[in-house]
Amino acid sequence: MASSTKRPRPGASDRDSDAADATPEAAAADAQDATGAPATTTAQDATTAPGATTAVTVPTARSAGAAAPAPAPVRHVRVAVIGSGFGGIGAGVRLRRAGITDFVILERADSVGGTWRDNSYPGCACDVPSHLYSFSFAPNPDWPRSFSGQPDIRAYLEKVTDVFGIRPHLRFNAEVTEARWEADHACWRITTTAGEWTADAVVSAAGPLADPQIPDLPGLDAFPGKVFHSSRWDHDYDLAGQRVAMVGTGASAAQIIPSIQPRVGRLTVFQRTPAWVLPRRDREITEIEKWLHGRLPVTAKLRRGTLFALRELQVDAFVRRPGLLKVVQQLAERHLAQGVADPALRARLTPDYRIGCKRILLSNTYYPALAAANTEVVASGLREVRGSTLVAADGSEREVDAIVFGTGFHVTDMPIGERVFGVGGTSLAEEWKDGMEALRGSTVRGFPNLFFVIGPNTGLGNSSMILMIESQLNYLIDALTTLGSIGATAMQPTERAQRHWNLELQHRMDRTVWTTGGCRSWYLDPNGRNTVLWPGSTTAFRRATRKVDLAEYELIMRAAPAAPGPAAAAEEALV
């Protein structure tokens, strides 16, 4: 017998959900659901917990004489959010503020934080000023430094989760293994390690910096020492006195190297491509400043506005006139000369591409750590592993005890794509086999009511991603409220709208420093297209995502319910 899921009646308001949320039975059901234990909710329950609406048991076949197994509940929600980093928590806040309380946030780990939970390596910090790297609706007057570290950012996200009442909607240890569009019911069926849900809409806030990428090196499996990625740091392993190899010289490596160099016995850095590095203007935020920002919020707004404006002014150099970056490159060259006295090492650390083509690093301690007596920079990538011997691409060999990979993430081939199946059962990975693309970085044709936070071409090279996240959340909320107001069930971009948006976007990308700067970066997919960054200002993106243009969408309208026959009416009377 086919299973069915009870769904909210057409026209039911979110106020109804709020009323249900307030009941003791709902609180008990939610507390049970949050632990991952099987819920006992049945189709006859009149009340439901936040994000865990009425469940219908799915019957299963059983052998004669065998006891019936516990039925698996399938819960229906209006919105299912994947991930609880800045994007997922922000989505939860905005949904609640829009009066949408019937949602869950599915998190594969056991706490919130996303990349700021996963990346706990020594020295981990943000390279965007704290007062700009925070939600506009949740200013934090107590940031300890102008560039705050990972523990403070993670604590901020925990606080936002509590202050805005998001915790009842969280489902931890619920990794999404599949999300499949069911056209017959016009909803998504989401399978997780903690059970199944169905949802009218899915918000993918898994983020591009979620799944580490480790190169497939010959012999790596047989390495006798310790191996881990920067985003999966093993804090139980003591690096003191060890011979350590750092593979990669990106943003994470630039923070790790100065943090571990004084403790390790020998540090070997495998550098495939050097990075441009600028000074980091970091300092402690004084108690007076914190007091002012707390007592006079307008001072915090002024500070944030100034930081925002300075970064908006930089955009033109990155996206239209890369020649303007010459002055910045001269500053980076001077910083290198001051940090590295050895001309041979300085030559190995000097990039041969224009600054800005790859991510610009900020550090005052990176160059001194590379110039230290116990550090060696190998100007070559890692080719293979032979026992405890690492063989570089230039053929040179190094003996090490531990390998730390700072080799980035699956960005242009996001793993979530292999788990999401749209119209006709086509996976998102298959749809994107020739490169990621979306309409306004938010929606994809063939995947109705799937909304992205930090989708294709929404990344930044010079400012705060929180600004882009909030813009996409504006778009999400407008889409959901528009669907409700016009009586539609779902929406997907037209082929023409999505194609036009991306052709124009890639045309603008042609003159950016990321394309013309003479480098190969993680911004580019295997076809050489930049499917990661936004070729414009955050203000321009905010304008582009302020409202949903229905002319760019195909709508799936809600079917009118058929009038019940006499038998159905009699059955309803018995329920």
Side-chain angles (χ1 to χ4, degrees), residues 302-385:
L302 180 61
R303 184 176 197 151
R304 180 183 174 93
T306 302
L307 293 169
F308 168 77
L310 289 173
R311 275 152 183 78
E312 290 292 271
L313 291 174
Q314 298 170 5
V315 171
D316 196 56
F318 282 88
V319 303
R320 282 184 288 270
R321 288 187 278 271
L324 296 176
L325 292 168
K326 288 181 179 178
V327 175
V328 181
Q329 187 164 317
Q330 290 172 355
L331 292 175
E333 290 170 346
R334 188 182 311 156
H335 186 52
L336 172 58
Q338 292 171 346
V340 180
D342 179 12
L345 177 57
R346 195 160 60 240
R348 290 200 296 274
L349 297 176
T350 301
D352 60 359
Y353 56 86
R354 179 175 289 166
I355 193 169
C357 184
K358 292 171 72 77
R359 184 173 177 177
I360 301 173
L361 309 183
L362 302 178
S363 179
N364 301 327
T365 55
Y366 181 57
Y367 286 142
L370 293 179
N374 67 333
T375 302
E376 179 188 10
V377 177
V378 180
S380 176
L382 182 57
R383 187 178 71 195
E384 64 176 304
V385 180

Side-chain angles (χ1 to χ4, degrees), residues 216-219 270 380-386 390-397:
D216 185 14
L217 295 169
F270 287 87
S380 176
L382 182 57
R383 187 178 71 195
E384 64 176 304
V385 180
R386 298 175 187 164
L390 305 191
V391 183
D394 61 8
S396 60
E397 300 180 357

Side-chain angles (χ1 to χ4, degrees), residues 207-407:
L209 305 181
D211 294 272
Q213 182 165 262
I214 295 179
D216 185 14
L217 295 169
L220 181 60
D221 291 343
F223 178 70
K226 190 70 179 179
V227 178
F228 52 86
H229 190 273
S230 59
S231 66
R232 302 293 186 268
W233 196 270
D234 189 341
H235 292 277
D236 294 329
Y237 183 75
D238 188 3
L239 294 175
Q242 303 288 334
R243 297 170 299 177
V244 180
M246 182 76 225
V247 182
T249 51
S252 297
Q255 295 178 343
I256 293 170
I257 289 170
S259 300
I260 68 173
Q261 174 269 319
R263 297 192 292 116
V264 303
R266 182 74 180 169
L267 179 60
T268 303
V269 178
F270 287 87
Q271 171 193 267
R272 190 170 56 181
T273 308
W276 286 110
V277 184
L278 289 171
R280 185 181 182 87
R281 309 299 184 189
D282 188 23
R283 65 173 179 83
E284 287 189 15
I285 304 295
T286 66
E287 293 301 318
I288 293 178
E289 290 173 285
K290 294 177 186 177
W291 183 87
L292 276 174
H293 295 335
R295 296 296 183 88
L296 298 173
V298 67
T299 61
K301 288 184 178 180
L302 180 61
R303 184 176 197 151
R304 180 183 174 93
T306 302
L307 293 169
F308 168 77
L310 289 173
R311 275 152 183 78
E312 290 292 271
L313 291 174
Q314 298 170 5
V315 171
D316 196 56
F318 282 88
V319 303
R320 282 184 288 270
R321 288 187 278 271
L324 296 176
L325 292 168
K326 288 181 179 178
V327 175
V328 181
Q329 187 164 317
Q330 290 172 355
L331 292 175
E333 290 170 346
R334 188 182 311 156
H335 186 52
L336 172 58
Q338 292 171 346
V340 180
D342 179 12
L345 177 57
R346 195 160 60 240
R348 290 200 296 274
L349 297 176
T350 301
D352 60 359
Y353 56 86
R354 179 175 289 166
I355 193 169
C357 184
K358 292 171 72 77
R359 184 173 177 177
I360 301 173
L361 309 183
L362 302 178
S363 179
N364 301 327
T365 55
Y366 181 57
Y367 286 142
L370 293 179
N374 67 333
T375 302
E376 179 188 10
V377 177
V378 180
S380 176
L382 182 57
R383 187 178 71 195
E384 64 176 304
V385 180
R386 298 175 187 164
S388 59
T389 302
L390 305 191
V391 183
D394 61 8
S396 60
E397 300 180 357
R398 309 294 188 284
E399 292 282 328
V400 301
D401 304 307
I403 305 174
V404 179
F405 285 99
T407 45

Side-chain angles (χ1 to χ4, degrees), residues 9-10 558-564:
R9 66 184 185 277
R558 182 180 293 121

